[in-house]
Amino acid sequence: MKKSSKMIEVMLVATVLAVPGAAIGTAAPVYAYDGKSDLEVMPLPDDIRKLLVDLKEDYVPLLSDLHVDAIGKGSKSETILALSDRKSVITANIFLDLVVDADGNITSLKLNGADRDQQKWDKQATYKKLTDFIRENVPDHIVIATQPMLSTERKAGLDRLAVVPFYPVLNGVWVKKEMGRAYIDASGQIVHFWQEKKKLPLVAEVTDPKKAIALEKAASAWGNDLDVQLVYDTAAGKLVYEPVKLPVVDALTGEIVPEVTVTATETVKLKGTAGNSSWGDRTKMEEWLAKNFALKMSSLTFEAPSVKQKKRDTDLYEWNARMYQSASVLVERKSKSLLAFSLDGSAQSEREKPLSEDEAKALALRFAETNLLSREQSFVVKQTRPVDYLPGWADQNVVRPLYQYDFYPEANGIRAKTPLFTIEVDAKKGNVVKAKVNETAAMPAALDKQGVIGQERAKEMLLKHAALRLAYFYPQIGGQTSATPQLAYVPTADTEALQVEAKTGEVAGNWRELTE
């Protein structure tokens, strides 16, 4: 943030108001301002005032419309601020929560209520502003992803945003373990940011990077294992080739790191019988949860959609449990259609015999047909599950038997690039535990393959632009992550975003979607 000597009109009143949204945990003392009080005002500390001025000028222009509702100190001497455009005790549209550490670095920023512009993205300008913000607030030596991604997480209110993650460094090598993210809207305003220290292994516990094979040898192995597939990019309206998977190369042996999941695909036609009469109706949703997931609704605490999301086009309903499972349902406000569902936490009891592969698939298909799809449609369904024989670092008692199903619309035997639905089944719970509907453009009824280049040519073009980077890589499976990272060559974010236009052979970096 630029140096500035300007003053900011942010005032605090030496009084405490019971203002919704102003609570900041254990921070104390608390001062609040209701926008019209004639009580004596207190200026903000100089360093905080200057930080807000610079933040407004460089990254959050909406700050000019906000005032401080509350300020206090946390357990680690961090400053915690809650700001809003509140004009009365009960009325506010925009909220900004900030946490600033003792060194003046922002560790958390959450802006709620701002309009999300639908204008086109300037990818280069977006990336520059995100990386500038990260560098100004993260004092550690870090690796920043080489390009932004699109965030589509509607449940968390983080859709229609661009995001850049960043990572720690060990032995001068990228550690592929996120330590934070910065999000920005299309207008260029930072709306969400977090960072946290990550516990890294000792130098003696990891492989010395000097023992790594040459990059050229790793690139050769990576290229030999790479496969591409023809898909339809609904956002671009084009047939493109994309990697089937992105291999990882063991930096000591030069061999491809074995996959910890198994995938299979099949084409299915679903009738689609979903209605919208239940979603958004608390009574009907609770009946659905009790019937299909055996939840005891009387033991759960209901939480209605947040007042901080009034400008959103979605409503999040939550049922939280002190023990065992909680549930959440995300509903599109106008159409009253289901957008996302999750069942979190441990079940009170689980199946003695987990669902078989066929039983899990049947459950996912039935959920999509009865809850997500309202008309007959064909899909290529991709199933992903853990390998039968787990790697040595994985604990059989910890790894969850999770089956993920991605439902890709298809035409002429060619699937869409992005799935319309994603459903996850926990075989030990015997239930769907996650479901998500993605925002995608419609698939054409038919696709013209005339003039499309072949797979080998497409692969050759993609390899000319691909790049690998040495990293400490953490394998993951069924909710468990390896305790010790593996030294490996992994594709960069630029490489992950590559696709080849199927009719021209042109290689371009598309907007990659952030996946959890």
Side-chain angles (χ1 to χ4, degrees), residues 207-221:
T207 304
D208 186 343
K210 293 179 182 178
K211 296 180 180 180
I213 62 171
L215 174 60
E216 293 76 14
K217 183 177 179 180
S220 176

Side-chain angles (χ1 to χ4, degrees), residues 55 60 96-99 106-111 133 190-194:
L55 189 62
V60 188
L96 175 65
D97 296 320
L98 272 178
V99 179
I106 295 173
T107 59
S108 176
L109 181 155
K110 297 178 183 178
L111 180 66
F133 184 84
I190 301 291
V191 299
H192 193 74
F193 172 78
W194 62 268

Side-chain angles (χ1 to χ4, degrees), residues 190-419:
I190 301 291
V191 299
H192 193 74
F193 172 78
W194 62 268
Q195 63 168 307
E196 61 184 16
K197 298 286 185 182
K198 288 293 183 181
K199 184 178 180 181
L200 300 179
L202 300 174
V203 171
E205 295 175 331
V206 297
T207 304
D208 186 343
K210 293 179 182 178
K211 296 180 180 180
I213 62 171
L215 174 60
E216 293 76 14
K217 183 177 179 180
S220 176
W222 192 85
N224 290 336
D225 194 65
L226 182 71
D227 287 321
V228 297
Q229 60 188 346
L230 183 65
V231 297
Y232 183 76
D233 185 342
T234 55
K238 298 176 181 178
L239 287 168
V240 299
Y241 281 100
E242 67 169 9
V244 174
K245 62 178 181 179
L246 291 164
V248 173
V249 181
D250 188 310
L252 293 182
T253 66
E255 298 178 352
I256 300 299
V257 175
E259 293 283 323
V260 294
T261 57
V262 177
T263 61
T265 61
E266 69 171 308
T267 302
V268 299
K269 180 175 284 189
L270 301 180
K271 292 182 179 180
T273 59
N276 56 8
S277 61
S278 298
W279 311 118
D281 183 316
R282 178 181 172 183
T283 300
K284 291 182 179 179
M285 289 190 293
E286 290 183 347
E287 290 174 353
W288 178 77
L289 290 169
K291 177 182 178 181
N292 292 284
F293 304 97
L295 294 180
K296 296 180 180 179
M297 305 311 299
S298 60
S299 66
L300 304 179
T301 301
F302 175 69
E303 187 172 334
S306 171
V307 296
K308 290 188 177 183
Q309 304 292 344
K310 288 190 292 186
K311 289 189 177 181
R312 306 286 295 149
D313 53 9
T314 59
D315 289 317
L316 177 64
Y317 301 86
E318 297 178 281
W319 291 264
N320 297 310
R322 292 187 177 220
M323 296 177 62
Y324 306 121
Q325 297 181 109
S326 298
S328 67
V329 173
L330 185 69
V331 178
E332 189 171 70
R333 190 171 292 167
K334 289 185 178 180
S335 69
K336 297 299 181 183
S337 57
L338 178 63
L339 297 178
F341 164 75
S342 66
L343 190 65
D344 302 306
S346 301
Q348 190 168 357
S349 61
E350 294 190 332
R351 296 172 59 97
E352 288 186 18
K353 182 181 179 182
L355 293 175
S356 67
E357 188 171 331
D358 288 341
E359 289 172 329
K361 180 178 70 175
L363 185 61
L365 294 178
R366 186 164 62 250
F367 187 96
E369 194 167 45
T370 58
N371 297 294
L372 305 178
L373 187 65
S374 59
R375 63 181 180 86
E376 186 175 277
Q377 189 172 352
S378 292
F379 294 90
V380 172
V381 179
K382 177 184 176 183
Q383 174 191 270
T384 305
R385 64 170 178 83
V387 292
D388 292 326
Y389 299 100
L390 298 178
W393 55 264
D395 186 338
Q396 185 78 43
N397 297 317
V398 175
V399 172
R400 302 296 303 180
L402 299 175
Y403 292 81
Q404 179 173 304
Y405 299 88
D406 295 305
F407 291 73
Y408 298 90
E410 67 89 27
N412 297 10
I414 300 173
R415 71 165 176 82
K417 178 182 174 70
T418 304

Side-chain angles (χ1 to χ4, degrees), residues 91-116:
T91 304
N93 293 309
I94 300 172
F95 302 83
L96 175 65
D97 296 320
L98 272 178
V99 179
V100 183
D101 69 17
D103 296 320
N105 299 307
I106 295 173
T107 59
S108 176
L109 181 155
K110 297 178 183 178
L111 180 66
N112 288 306
D115 290 326
R116 296 275 168 86

Side-chain angles (χ1 to χ4, degrees), residues 227-233 238-244 417 449 451-459 461-462 497-508 510:
D227 287 321
V228 297
Q229 60 188 346
L230 183 65
V231 297
Y232 183 76
D233 185 342
K238 298 176 181 178
L239 287 168
V240 299
Y241 281 100
E242 67 169 9
V244 174
K417 178 182 174 70
K449 292 176 63 176
V452 169
I453 64 174
Q455 281 184 303
E456 286 303 315
R457 175 61 175 161
K459 176 180 174 179
M461 297 301 295
L462 192 146
L498 289 178
Q499 63 183 27
V500 180
E501 190 171 328
K503 294 191 176 183
T504 66
E506 180 183 355
V507 180
N510 69 306

